[in-house]
């Protein structure tokens, strides 16, 4: 269905809401950054906001995390009305921005202890929490060193650990793995999954579509300040033409029968395969298998091919993703 943003939106699971935003707008002069967006993020899930540079992703995070105000709209975070009680929202959230916020003059341990002081934790509790987070993020051996000696991945882990000192229930991660190598990025992915397993809600913006595909329970695509689509990764991929089911047969007779059964399919006589256009959904697959059974056609092998999020990004925004841009540089 289409929501008030004009986005193609799929069904949302019925869970308590961690973030609810309605009609959020933000402009700078005549430049409209957010044009009345609606968001619903169930608690204990990962929600990813995608979009081209300049689409309004960072502005959305800044508004939801109380860093800047919206021009209009209603927002509730962890059950608190952002406009009426921003302090309650701040006590419930954590924010990790695009750039590391660690202090290079302090050691890793001192950075965490400073955050504990800022959260008004008692000294003993602050030290306990610091030790716990150093262990959790594999920073014990580096605790007495300054972050200037850390690798990029270690700095991001420390940054995330600092976000967790206050035990937030909702965390905003604004492109948290930018610049990390693939192995370190996957380490961060596991840390994010572990947080959600503990009941934390993650609001993630990223330029890496694979990251959203791997992590997010739901994904929204923002373009020119409007949400143009929302759903699970699989639901979004099914919006885009080009999906098909590939069937391989043991002999030409089976291929011939199947080609006659499915008009509009594409056959490869050398490979004994038949491509049947489809969205890869359960209903269409069941219908196709029923046709094969009714015609007594035996299939040697079946595989489903669907567009990826890069295809979705390009089709719905008219612009390539960062991954595609990098591939042509």
């Amino acid at each position: 269905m289409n929501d008030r943003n004009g986005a193609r939106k799929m069904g949302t699971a019925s869970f308590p809401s961690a973030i609810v935003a309605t009609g959020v707008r933000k402009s700078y002069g005549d430049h409209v950054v957010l044009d009345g967006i609606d968001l619903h993020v169930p608690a204990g899930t990962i929600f990813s906001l995608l979009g081209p540079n300049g689409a309004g992703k960072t502005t959305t995070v800044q508004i939801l995390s109380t860093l800047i105000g919206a021009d209009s709209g209603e927002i509730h975070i962890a059950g608190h009305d952002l406009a009426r009680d921003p302090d309650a929202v701040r006590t419930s959230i954590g924010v990790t921005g695009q750039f590391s916020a660690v202090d290079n003059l302090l050691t890793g341990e001192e950075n965490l202890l400073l955050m504990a002081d800022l959260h008004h934790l008692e000294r003993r509790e602050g030290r306990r929490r610091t030790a716990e987070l150093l262990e959790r993020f594999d920073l014990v051996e580096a605790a007495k060193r300054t972050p200037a000696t850390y690798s990029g991945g270690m700095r991001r882990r420390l940054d995330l650990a600092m976000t967790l000192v206050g035990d937030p229930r909702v965390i905003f991660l604004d492109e948290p793995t930018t610049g990390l190598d693939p192995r370190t990025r996957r380490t961060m992915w596991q840390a994010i999954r572990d947080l959600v397993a503990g009941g934390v809600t993650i609001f993630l913006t990223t330029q890496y579509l694979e990251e959203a595909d791997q992590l997010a329970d739901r994904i929204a695509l923002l373009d020119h300040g409007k949400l143009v689509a929302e759903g699970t990764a699989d639901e979004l991929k099914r919006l885009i033409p080009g999906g098909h089911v590939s069937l391989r047969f043991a002999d030409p007779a089976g291929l011939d029968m199947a080609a006659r059964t499915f008009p509009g399919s594409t056959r490869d006589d050398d490979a004994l395969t038949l491509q049947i256009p489809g969205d890869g959904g359960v209903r269409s697959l069941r219908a196709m298998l029923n046709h094969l059974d009714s015609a007594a056609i035996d299939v040697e092998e079946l595989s489903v091919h669907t567009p990826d999020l890069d295809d979705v990004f390009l089709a719905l925004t008219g612009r390539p993703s960062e991954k595609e841009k990098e591939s042509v540089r």
Side-chain angles (χ1 to χ4, degrees):
M1 64 180 180
N2 286 8
D3 71 358
R4 68 195 299 273
N5 297 297
R8 281 167 281 192
K9 191 171 185 179
M10 293 72 182
T12 302
S14 181
F15 291 107
S17 300
I19 301 172
V20 179
T22 306
V24 177
R25 298 179 183 275
K26 183 68 177 179
S27 298
Y28 293 100
D30 294 333
H31 177 54
V32 178
V33 182
L34 296 177
D35 192 8
I37 68 169
D38 298 340
L39 295 169
H40 170 250
V41 182
T45 65
I46 301 175
F47 182 94
S48 183
L49 185 64
L50 304 179
N53 289 330
K57 302 187 300 298
T58 295
T59 298
T60 301
V61 171
Q62 290 175 332
I63 290 173
L64 296 178
S65 59
T66 77
L67 295 176
I68 62 174
D71 295 336
S72 61
E74 295 185 6
I75 301 170
H76 289 79
I77 309 287
H80 305 293
D81 187 310
L82 188 148
R84 293 189 175 92
D85 198 355
D87 287 339
V89 170
R90 292 183 188 112
T91 63
S92 303
I93 67 173
V95 182
T96 298
Q98 296 180 29
F99 306 103
S100 176
V102 303
D103 189 325
N104 285 324
L105 299 179
L106 302 177
T107 66
E109 181 180 49
E110 288 168 343
N111 269 281
L112 290 169
L113 290 171
L114 174 60
M115 292 301 297
D117 288 341
L118 292 174
H119 283 283
H120 306 294
L121 299 184
E122 294 183 358
R123 184 171 297 273
R124 178 178 296 180
E125 174 61 16
R127 291 194 173 280
R128 185 199 66 78
R129 186 73 174 141
T130 292
E132 174 190 306
L133 289 168
L134 288 171
E135 178 72 29
R136 181 174 181 177
F137 286 92
D138 194 23
L139 293 169
V140 173
E141 293 184 5
K144 302 296 185 182
R145 294 174 14 219
T146 62
T149 67
Y150 289 10
S151 68
M154 292 170 67
R155 289 176 65 88
R156 293 308 276 169
R157 295 205 306 273
L158 177 60
D159 206 15
L160 184 54
M162 291 167 62
T163 300
L164 296 178
V165 169
D167 197 24
R169 306 316 299 159
V170 178
I171 297 177
F172 295 94
L173 300 179
D174 191 12
E175 302 187 20
T177 64
T178 297
L180 298 184
D181 63 81
R183 178 178 295 180
T184 305
R185 187 175 298 141
R186 281 167 173 74
T187 300
M188 286 291 290
W189 290 357
Q190 189 56 52
I192 292 168
R193 292 187 182 103
D194 291 343
L195 289 172
V196 175
V200 173
T201 303
I202 301 291
F203 188 101
L204 169 73
T205 74
T206 179
Q207 291 284 6
Y208 299 108
L209 301 192
E210 181 192 9
E211 187 160 88
D213 204 349
Q214 288 286 330
L215 293 176
D217 298 291
R218 294 184 67 76
I219 298 168
L221 188 58
L222 185 67
D223 191 31
H224 296 297
K226 293 178 179 287
L227 292 180
V228 296
E230 182 181 339
T232 67
D234 287 341
E235 287 170 341
L236 292 178
K237 292 170 189 176
R238 287 198 291 269
L239 291 175
I240 307 304
H244 65 271
V245 177
S246 180
L247 306 178
R248 187 169 64 82
F249 300 90
D251 52 57
L255 175 59
D256 288 339
M257 291 177 63
R260 290 194 297 271
T261 302
F262 298 99
S265 57
T266 302
R267 61 188 291 166
D268 184 332
D269 290 274
D270 292 332
L272 294 177
T273 60
L274 188 72
Q275 285 189 8
I276 303 171
D279 62 6
V282 173
R283 182 176 298 178
S284 61
L285 281 174
R286 185 181 293 119
M288 184 197 68
L289 293 173
N290 287 338
H291 278 301
L292 290 168
D293 285 341
S294 298
I297 301 172
D298 291 326
V299 177
E300 191 85 354
E301 184 179 297
L302 179 151
S303 58
V304 178
H305 302 263
T306 58
D308 61 18
L309 285 182
D310 284 297
D311 299 317
V312 175
F313 196 101
L314 179 59
L316 296 182
T317 71
R319 283 172 275 182
S321 69
E322 289 303 302
K323 174 184 172 184
E324 288 182 323
K325 289 178 185 176
E326 290 172 359
S327 70
V328 298
R329 285 173 185 165

